[in-house]
Amino acid sequence: DDDSVLSVLRSMLQMLGYRVLCADRAATALQILRRERVDLMLADSVMPGASGEALEAEVAQRWPATRVVLMSGYADRPRPRDAQGGRLPFLDKPIDLKDLAFMLRRVLDSASASAVGSAQ
């Protein structure tokens, strides 16, 4: 919901070599997911139309291969949990490029390991 944050994050992600699709609200993110294969979604916990947690729950149900990392600028906000009660990957804002790179790589690597493990 903040164009300047969206712009900075887009630049950071592109610097890290990711293809970036941007949405300014949950409904737009869902439209993108309907037409594009998305490996990972970075979503704010607070946004127009739905919380990041609600968006993550819908994504997990409809596109289970898409990983979600939530972020927030509210330090006192409780850390989000998935439907099974496990903690969701989470970044505090402001986001450092090194922390962003580490988190995304960790989440994508764990998704790859899960896919390999489930295929055996």
Side-chain angles (χ1 to χ4, degrees), residues 41-84:
M41 180 176 66
L42 180 61
D44 205 323
S45 287
V46 178
M47 68 180 114
S51 69
E53 291 86 349
L55 179 58
E56 185 281 331
E58 186 164 352
V59 169
Q61 182 179 15
R62 296 172 71 178
W63 300 280
T66 300
R67 300 297 179 234
V68 178
V69 174
L70 294 178
M71 61 185 165
S72 178
Y74 299 101
D76 60 343
R77 188 168 177 80
R79 295 299 185 240
R81 296 192 174 275
D82 65 17
Q84 290 76 39

Side-chain angles (χ1 to χ4, degrees), residues 24-58:
D24 61 351
R25 61 190 65 250
T28 307
L30 293 171
Q31 289 172 352
I32 291 170
L33 287 164
R34 284 185 197 103
R35 67 174 192 264
E36 298 277 346
R37 179 176 174 262
V38 175
D39 295 316
L40 187 141
M41 180 176 66
L42 180 61
D44 205 323
S45 287
V46 178
M47 68 180 114
S51 69
E53 291 86 349
L55 179 58
E56 185 281 331
E58 186 164 352

